[in-house]
Amino acid sequence: MKRPVWKLELIRDTNAPLEAVVRVLADGKSFHRWHPRLSSVEAQVTRNEPDRFEMAYTSRPWVGVEEHGVFTVAPNEGRLLLTHRATFKGWPVLILMGWWRLRSHRMWESLVRSL
């Protein structure tokens, strides 16, 4: 039997400058302030251009769960669009995802307000 897969997508916009958003996202030691499952992670910057930033990470937030995620920051109609897409694999996801989803939405909102 295959492991369950759950996808999560959070999208918000801000009027903060791109450099400020990139600085906050790229600080791998402070993920815990706006990401409920990551205290520290080795994220790889996959795209860093004047008008677009992407960063990917992989973690194991819980025994038996793999999380693969991508953060994207890009301009959209005079504002910046912040997108977090994550895929979770593993049986514990069935129990944990509701809580993680709620916490993720709240913390992502908090991040956008702090910018």
Side-chain angles (χ1 to χ4, degrees):
M1 188 189 289
K2 291 187 175 187
R3 292 186 305 166
V5 175
W6 186 286
K7 295 185 184 227
L8 174 69
E9 182 177 68
L10 303 171
I11 301 172
R12 298 293 180 269
D13 67 341
T14 182
N15 60 353
L18 180 69
E19 301 81 29
V21 177
V22 168
R23 189 171 40 253
V24 170
L25 289 179
D27 182 11
K29 291 183 170 70
S30 65
F31 278 171
H32 66 280
R33 290 187 299 180
W34 51 269
H35 192 293
R37 294 165 303 282
L38 300 178
S39 58
S40 179
V41 69
E42 292 291 325
Q44 293 84 25
V45 175
T46 56
R47 194 169 176 182
N48 193 1
E49 298 171 359
D51 64 341
R52 189 173 183 90
F53 177 80
E54 287 184 7
M55 181 175 67
Y57 68 91
T58 300
S59 74
R60 295 187 180 277
W62 192 268
V63 176
V65 176
E66 294 175 22
E67 178 181 352
H68 304 281
V70 176
F71 298 104
T72 306
V73 181
N76 182 36
E77 298 178 10
R79 295 178 60 87
L80 285 180
L81 196 63
L82 286 75
T83 307
H84 175 206
R85 289 184 178 92
T87 302
F88 302 85
K89 295 178 185 177
W91 287 102
V93 170
L94 297 172
I95 298 167
L96 300 168
M97 199 61 227
W99 172 248
W100 284 348
R101 182 181 177 96
L102 180 65
R103 292 279 299 150
S104 293
H105 279 280
R106 287 182 180 166
M107 292 180 91
W108 198 243
E109 288 290 333
S110 176
L111 168 69
V112 171
R113 279 192 307 269
S114 73
L115 299 172

